[in-house]
Amino acid sequence: GAVVSQHPSWVICKSGTSVKIECRSLDFQATTMFWYRQFPKQSLMLMATSNEGSKATYEQGVEKDKFLINHASLTLSTLTVTSAHPEDSSFYICSAALALETQYFGPGTRLLVL
Amino acid sequence: EDQVTQSPEALRLQEGESSSLNCSYTVSGLRGLFWYRQDPGKGPEFLFTLYSAGEEKEKERLKATLTKKESFLHITAPKPEDSATYLCAVQANTGNQFYFGTGTSLTVIP
């Protein structure tokens, strides 16, 4: 139980294009989903928290117009990196939680912007 | 300010050599402390949740303990497949957010 999937697992795109990453909780309904970013050999950096049906709460320093988050259902959240640039290249990981319980993480999406 | 510090940053053990990883925390009211294992290029894998001081949980060669200021992840007779980065996170009772430590990179040498 408590399986979270992400798609795609990796993506390469040209600078200026937009990339959408999907996060799904496969066997439970997640009231809250989280999006993290992780640079090599560093810990997870929380980008935003989203609750189903409401606007995401972004952490300080994270541009909400650049990183669009949609949490339309209890099993799906999407992160769209708009007009991606090389500095946006990173490992993006989502997690899902039921109420205030443990977060279960997806396998991550590696983004490379050329 | 809520804060999590893990030590050591890196640990190399011989196979079978038991040791402990430390997670020190300061939080304004602890809802839960979480241990995760992360392999390179993958998302963190949930290991344990601890809620109150004195609580202990075990899974195979791993045992997590909790006090009011820190948590330990004890690894008994580790094997090479235990090599990974172990992350600790705390959740305050004031919100959903997890505060992650920077992790301990464990290498177990055959």
Side-chain angles (χ1 to χ4, degrees), chain A residues 32 34 36 38 41-44 46 49 51 59 91 93 99-108 110, chain B residues 6 31 34 36 38 40-46 48-49 51 87 91 95-98 100-103:
Chain A
T32 307
F34 304 82
Y36 293 83
Q38 188 175 35
K41 298 188 177 181
Q42 294 188 24
S43 192
L44 302 168
L46 180 65
T49 303
N51 292 294
E59 294 300 301
F91 190 50
I93 310 175
L100 300 175
E101 297 296 321
T102 301
Q103 289 185 34
Y104 295 94
F105 287 83
R110 188 160 301 283
Chain B
Q6 289 188 249
R31 171 175 288 142
F34 305 82
Y36 291 86
Q38 186 175 25
K42 297 187 178 180
E45 173 190 345
F46 170 70
F48 304 109
T49 306
Y51 294 103
L87 297 169
Q91 185 181 36
N96 289 344
Q97 185 173 348
F98 277 30
F100 276 91
T102 51

Side-chain angles (χ1 to χ4, degrees), chain A residues 1-4 25-28 104-105, chain B residues 45-46:
Chain A
V3 179
V4 177
S25 57
L26 299 184
D27 53 1
F28 68 102
Y104 295 94
F105 287 83
Chain B
E45 173 190 345
F46 170 70

